Amino acid sequence: MGRADRSNYVFVPSAIFVTVLFGFYLTHNIFPGPEFLFLCLFVYASFIGDCNRFVKAFSPFIIYFLSYEALNRLIDAMPRSIHVQEPLTVDSWMFGSVPTFVLQEFRTPILDCVGAVFYSMHFIAPTVFAFLLWRYQPEHYQRYTLAFAICTYSALLTFLVYPVAPPWYGVKATRVLFQIDNSLGVPVFKTIYDHIGVNPFAAFPSLHSAFPWLIAVFALKSWRKKALPVLILPTMIWFSAVYLGEHYVIDVMGGIMYATFASLLALNKEKIFKAKFIASHNIPLLNYPEVRVPAYLRTEQPCLAIGQVYVELKRFMLL
């Protein structure tokens, strides 16, 4: 069986399954979760004949993503003391007022829609970008996956020990996403949040702010100047996070710091581990006397040097 036949053997049934599943979602008003996106990417990988390599390379990223989602729901169910006043105090100290209130004074239907579209990219952009790196810049894919894991799990630990309320809860700012649902007459965002199980007290650090910055860092690392337009993504998502009432500015800054830290660790992992190894095996060197090397051994002609060594050894044996 040729490679094309093996590819069709995997592609056809998987494509049929995804198509039927998507039709089921549509007829039963179910919003597809991240797992459906992974299935779609698998179908594309099988179409181009790289399904085995996709499964092998993408498994760690899928495990990191899905385990984070599961643990985040678990943390949300745990009793915790929610921090409401602290982010409000910091934002008020930095700007003299609450930026969410200031931005919402200029609300328009267009801004609402633009903010909602960019803010919703959080659910698909990290996975799609991981696939693009795997496909076109595989040398950076593993580092991106590591940075993603460091960023998500360090944020997860923060959500556990320091849960922070968003502006819509802490200062009763307008939750624009749910108002868009009312305007549409369809609970789009409420369905997404209920289906995915979003932790409402995971405001700091803002992973909505961290992931697009992580994407921008690795895009610039991979494609240099050609990737400059990608900076629009984090900029608009940062604006949307505050405008929609989902995050304070300090939450956004926290997400940027977490993503930057994770990127630095992932991009410099060899230097970090090498420095740690040298530090942990720091054996003091002994002061050996200097050995003078004969001139004939310092020659750039190896054959001449070997011949001269032979002559010296023979003379030594005859002494």
Side-chain angles (χ1 to χ4, degrees), residues 127-283:
T127 304
V128 172
F129 181 72
F131 185 82
L132 292 175
L133 280 183
W134 169 77
R135 187 81 174 91
Y136 300 107
Q137 295 287 338
E139 65 274 15
H140 295 302
Y141 166 72
Q142 295 293 342
R143 295 179 187 273
Y144 171 76
T145 301
L146 176 60
F148 181 86
I150 295 171
C151 186
T152 52
Y153 281 94
S154 58
L156 196 66
L157 182 61
T158 307
F159 301 157
L160 176 63
V161 300
Y162 196 80
V164 173
W168 61 261
Y169 180 94
V171 294
K172 308 304 179 185
T174 302
R175 198 172 193 185
V176 178
L177 291 177
F178 285 9
Q179 286 201 352
I180 294 176
D181 282 351
N182 296 333
S183 301
L184 294 174
V186 180
V188 177
F189 292 101
K190 189 177 187 305
T191 303
I192 294 174
Y193 276 59
D194 291 342
H195 176 71
I196 297 178
V198 177
N199 181 358
F201 303 116
F204 181 91
S206 166
L207 287 182
H208 276 83
S209 304
F211 289 164
W213 180 238
L214 203 64
I215 291 171
V217 169
F218 279 88
L220 291 171
K221 181 71 175 177
S222 302
W223 290 284
R224 306 293 180 180
K225 293 181 180 180
K226 294 180 180 179
L228 285 175
V230 82
L231 292 174
I232 296 173
L233 178 67
T235 303
M236 291 303 299
I237 291 181
W238 297 340
F239 166 80
S240 302
V242 179
Y243 172 80
L244 297 173
E246 299 293 331
H247 288 283
Y248 294 98
V249 173
I250 188 62
D251 301 335
V252 173
M253 294 171 64
I256 296 170
M257 288 188 293
Y258 274 59
T260 302
F261 176 73
S263 301
L264 290 174
L265 286 181
L267 292 172
N268 297 280
K269 62 178 183 178
E270 288 85 2
K271 295 180 182 179
I272 294 172
F273 286 119
K274 183 178 180 180
K276 184 178 179 181
F277 178 82
I278 293 175
S280 61
H281 297 78
N282 189 15
I283 303 174

Side-chain angles (χ1 to χ4, degrees), residues 5 17 22 25 31 38-39 54 67 73 88 113 135 141 147 157 201 203 208 230 244-245 248 254 276 287-288 307 319:
D5 295 333
F17 173 76
F22 185 65
Y25 283 160
F31 187 84
F38 293 135
L39 286 174
F54 171 81
S67 60
R73 293 192 192 101
L88 172 62
C113 293
R135 187 81 174 91
Y141 166 72
L157 182 61
F201 303 116
H208 276 83
V230 82
L244 297 173
Y248 294 98
K276 184 178 179 181
N287 293 323
Y288 292 104
L319 290 177

